[in-house]
Amino acid sequence: MANKNSIIDLEELLGLKDFDKHTLEYDLQLMINDSKEYEERQQRKEDFIELFKECYDELCIFMESDSKRRISVNCFTCFKGMDLRDKYGRPKNRS
């Protein structure tokens, strides 16, 4: 009959047992899980950016047709190239 400690050690080696807090194995497992979540989030972010680039024209048409005009698509200052950081309506110096 195997003793209880050898069974517990075997479970730990096979990864069947959760690690105790405040141990190196627990911290390493936590870091691995965090890095996987970070990579998945970065992948979702890249997918969203690619989809946004692909559908940008359709989004602009949708925003222009919004009756409440919640998002400005055709902005006067953007067309005229005005710099609004210092003062409102000051045109950029084009050299």
Side-chain angles (χ1 to χ4, degrees), residues 32-74:
I32 290 170
N33 289 341
D34 287 345
S35 67
K36 288 179 183 177
E37 290 174 8
Y38 177 76
E39 290 173 4
E40 290 173 1
R41 181 171 171 79
Q42 287 299 106
Q43 184 61 40
R44 287 194 319 253
K45 185 177 174 182
E46 290 174 8
D47 293 342
F48 173 76
I49 290 172
E50 287 298 318
L51 186 61
F52 185 82
K53 287 178 182 178
E54 185 178 314
C55 300
Y56 182 75
D57 292 334
E58 296 171 23
L59 288 170
C60 286
I61 292 170
F62 175 75
M63 290 183 286
E64 284 176 347
S65 65
D66 183 22
S67 62
K68 295 183 182 179
R69 301 282 181 195
R70 291 175 279 197
I71 299 173
S72 177
V73 178
N74 296 326

